[in-house]
Amino acid sequence: MKNLLQDKSFYQEFADSVKIFFNDQFKIDLSENLFTAIEIISWVSILFAINFFLRSISIPLLKKLANKTSLSWIKALYIHKGFVSFIHLITLSFASKMNILLFKNNGAILFLIERVTELALLIVFTQLIFRIINTIIYIYNEDNSYTTVGVRTFGQMMKFVITFFSLIAGVMILFTVNTSTIITVLGAMTAAVLLIFRDAIFGFVSGLQIAYSKVIKVGDWVTLSKGNVEGIVREININLVRIEKFDKTIATIPTVDVVTSQVTNHMPMMASGTRQIKRPISFNVNSFKFCSDEMLDNYENIALLKQYIVNKREEIKIHNQKIEHSTIDINGQQLTNIGVFRIYVENYLKSIPTVSQYDPIIIRQLPVTMEGMPLEIGCFAKSSNNFEFERIQSDIFDHLYTACRKFDLQIMQSISATDIKTNNRS
């Protein structure tokens, strides 16, 4: 008997003492199953206490370190609770080592506890890897560069891969499946696995293409031809690109579509500080005519046209001296009201301070259509801000719509009831 007691461990002796104490003091006979349950509950409580103790000591110190340090990765790891997962991992590692000592005489319980502990270790380790990936993405998000898109996409793809292998490891732990068996099954299910992860693989490749070609990044103002979506990019992940449209609605577009469709990125224009104005004014061709001397006299009184009219009159006079019957309009050179207006528009745009003089100013006639002859005005406003740009553009066309009447030009528009009444009265 003495030799038997000497072979017992300290824990076994302590357990036997507890059983005798409860039997003598409270007349409670602790059966083996009941005592095992109490053991497990007590052990779990001790582990929670150890974990709580470690967190109570280390987390406040890490918080102070994160607030004082200049190392961004420490701050990011604290924000994403990477240190908490690491403490959980330490506690479970300790539990894994102690389980064998505590429950070595109870094979079935030891087997169950080891499986649960290993599964918990796998979950916490996966969580720790996820939080490290989130930390890396968070650090690169602060830069908001095209590299961020690649890092985010790669990080999310890694999450898919880690989740997949974690599930396999979980099956191996729960059902004690051999690694060779899992590999054989995966080999047979390769096509099914590729089909399951098809969208993730396409999204991963598309995200890398976006990052490499520097198509878009978070915060860019873009226009996508597919779906005619325009707005600000708010998120780019492995599956979707989220775009906040200007009416505050959110459009979600598959990442693959960003690569396969035409994308217009307006950020280079915003960075330049200028923005193109390109809009036509359609005129009634029947209002076009040669300018009489009286009309030219009136145009000379317009400051923006005076020098042009004087020079052209002298040029036309010299040229028409060699032309027979030059008094007839169609013979020789003559100015037209639409031609003079075109020069007026050009000089007007060159004279206003809100139009860039370093970028092209182009006034051109487009082919005549059913709606008249469009005169396209092209220039660059000195502001890329939406509010300022629209104000500049409106001021320009407000003036031109009104100024064209001085040249006897008619703008094409749908006939209204007011127009019909006016014509009837006349």
Side-chain angles (χ1 to χ4, degrees):
M1 182 68 178
K2 186 176 181 181
N3 294 333
L4 183 63
L5 289 173
Q6 287 177 346
D7 292 338
K8 288 185 178 181
S9 65
F10 171 78
Y11 175 73
Q12 289 172 321
E13 292 181 3
F14 177 75
D16 291 340
S17 299
V18 171
K19 290 180 182 179
I20 295 171
F21 174 79
F22 272 90
N23 190 26
D24 293 342
Q25 298 296 326
F26 302 103
K27 305 301 179 184
I28 298 175
D29 183 16
L30 292 177
S31 64
E32 193 64 33
N33 292 336
L34 178 59
F35 188 76
T36 301
I38 294 173
E39 282 183 305
I40 294 172
I41 294 172
S42 301
W43 178 229
V44 172
S45 301
I46 291 170
L47 291 177
F48 272 104
I50 292 171
N51 186 268
F52 178 78
F53 176 75
L54 291 175
R55 284 191 290 119
S56 299
I57 292 176
S58 58
I59 295 301
L61 294 175
L62 291 169
K63 182 178 181 181
K64 291 180 180 179
L65 178 63
N67 291 331
K68 292 181 179 180
T69 185
S70 59
L71 298 175
S72 58
W73 67 269
I74 293 180
K75 294 180 180 178
L77 202 58
Y78 176 79
I79 291 172
H80 290 90
K81 299 183 178 180
F83 296 116
V84 175
S85 295
F86 187 71
I87 292 171
H88 293 335
L89 200 63
I90 292 173
T91 306
L92 289 171
S93 299
F94 172 73
S96 180
K97 298 295 183 183
M98 294 298 296
N99 287 338
I100 300 174
L101 298 175
L102 297 177
F103 302 100
K104 65 181 181 180
N105 292 328
N106 196 333
I109 297 298
L110 178 61
F111 177 81
L112 176 62
I113 290 177
E114 282 187 332
R115 296 287 83 77
V116 172
T117 305
E118 288 175 4
L119 192 62
L121 272 168
L122 176 64
I123 294 171
V124 172
F125 182 74
T126 303
Q127 183 189 59
L128 177 61
I129 298 299
F130 274 32
R131 288 178 175 178
I132 291 173
I133 292 172
N134 290 336
T135 299
I136 295 171
I137 294 173
Y138 177 83
I139 291 171
Y140 275 91
N141 274 345
E142 291 181 343
D143 296 336
N144 192 23
S145 62
Y146 293 102
T147 307
T148 305
V149 180
V151 171
R152 176 183 286 273
T153 305
F154 184 77
Q156 290 177 333
M157 186 63 187
M158 286 301 297
K159 286 182 180 180
F160 275 104
V161 174
I162 291 168
T163 302
F164 178 71
F165 283 104
S166 295
L167 290 173
I168 294 174
V171 171
M172 293 173 63
I173 291 171
L174 288 175
F175 302 103
T176 61
V177 182
N178 294 329
T179 307
S180 58
T181 305
I182 290 291
I183 293 173
T184 303
V185 173
L186 286 177
M189 296 177 61
T190 301
V193 171
L194 290 176
L195 184 62
I196 292 170
F197 290 100
R198 172 181 173 273
D199 292 339
I201 294 170
F202 284 170
F204 171 66
V205 175
S206 299
L208 293 182
Q209 286 180 319
I210 291 171
Y212 178 75
S213 58
K214 300 182 179 180
V215 178
I216 60 173
K217 66 179 186 298
V218 174
D220 283 0
W221 169 19
V222 298
T223 302
L224 272 70
S225 60
K226 197 166 187 178
N228 194 27
V229 177
E230 182 177 4
I232 307 298
V233 178
R234 294 304 180 195
E235 182 183 354
I236 303 173
N237 57 45
I238 198 168
N239 292 318
L240 296 171
V241 175
R242 300 185 188 277
I243 298 177
E244 181 182 344
K245 298 197 286 187
F246 294 118
D247 60 358
K248 296 300 181 181
T249 58
I250 300 294
T252 54
I253 299 164
T255 308
V256 179
D257 287 350
V258 177
V259 178
T260 58
S261 62
Q262 180 183 342
V263 179
T264 302
N265 193 327
H266 301 280
M267 296 313 292
M269 175 267 294
M270 297 291 287
S272 71
T274 59
R275 186 171 171 183
Q276 186 182 38
I277 296 173
K278 191 176 183 180
R279 182 189 291 182
I281 302 176
S282 294
F283 292 103
N284 186 348
V285 178
N286 293 326
S287 65
F288 297 171
K289 58 185 176 181
F290 292 115
C291 295
S292 63
D293 289 336
E294 182 181 355
M295 292 171 64
L296 293 176
D297 290 339
N298 290 332
Y299 296 159
E300 275 193 36
N301 295 327
I302 300 174
L304 294 174
L305 288 175
K306 182 175 181 179
Q307 192 60 45
Y308 172 76
I309 296 298
V310 170
N311 292 340
K312 288 300 290 184
R313 272 183 143 177
E314 186 63 28
E315 179 185 326
I316 291 171
K317 181 179 179 181
I318 294 172
H319 181 272
N320 288 348
Q321 286 177 353
K322 304 173 185 179
I323 304 297
E324 295 183 1
H325 307 295
S326 59
T327 54
I328 300 175
D329 291 345
I330 203 170
N331 291 333
Q333 289 186 357
Q334 300 292 339
L335 290 174
T336 61
N337 59 345
I338 185 64
V340 174
F341 179 72
R342 180 165 48 82
I343 300 300
Y344 172 80
V345 174
E346 184 179 328
N347 291 340
Y348 172 70
L349 294 177
K350 289 179 179 179
S351 68
I352 55 179
T354 54
V355 172
S356 172
Q357 305 304 316
Y358 298 99
D359 295 297
I361 295 176
I362 300 175
I363 315 299
R364 63 174 186 150
Q365 293 182 1
L366 301 181
V368 177
T369 65
M370 296 280 293
E371 287 77 30
M373 190 209 75
L375 186 70
E376 187 179 76
I377 290 95
C379 62
F380 286 80
K382 278 188 175 180
S383 176
S384 55
N385 177 271
N386 283 336
F387 176 80
E388 287 295 323
F389 170 78
E390 293 297 338
R391 184 185 61 78
I392 293 169
Q393 181 174 244
S394 298
D395 288 345
I396 290 171
F397 282 91
D398 287 349
H399 178 84
L400 296 181
Y401 288 145
T402 307
C404 67
R405 298 177 186 174
K406 299 293 183 180
F407 298 85
D408 297 330
L409 294 170
Q410 296 177 2
I411 296 176
M412 290 295 290
Q413 62 179 2
S414 299
I415 298 175
S416 64
T418 305
D419 295 329
I420 296 173
K421 289 179 182 179
T422 303
N423 291 333
N424 289 336
R425 287 174 185 173
S426 59

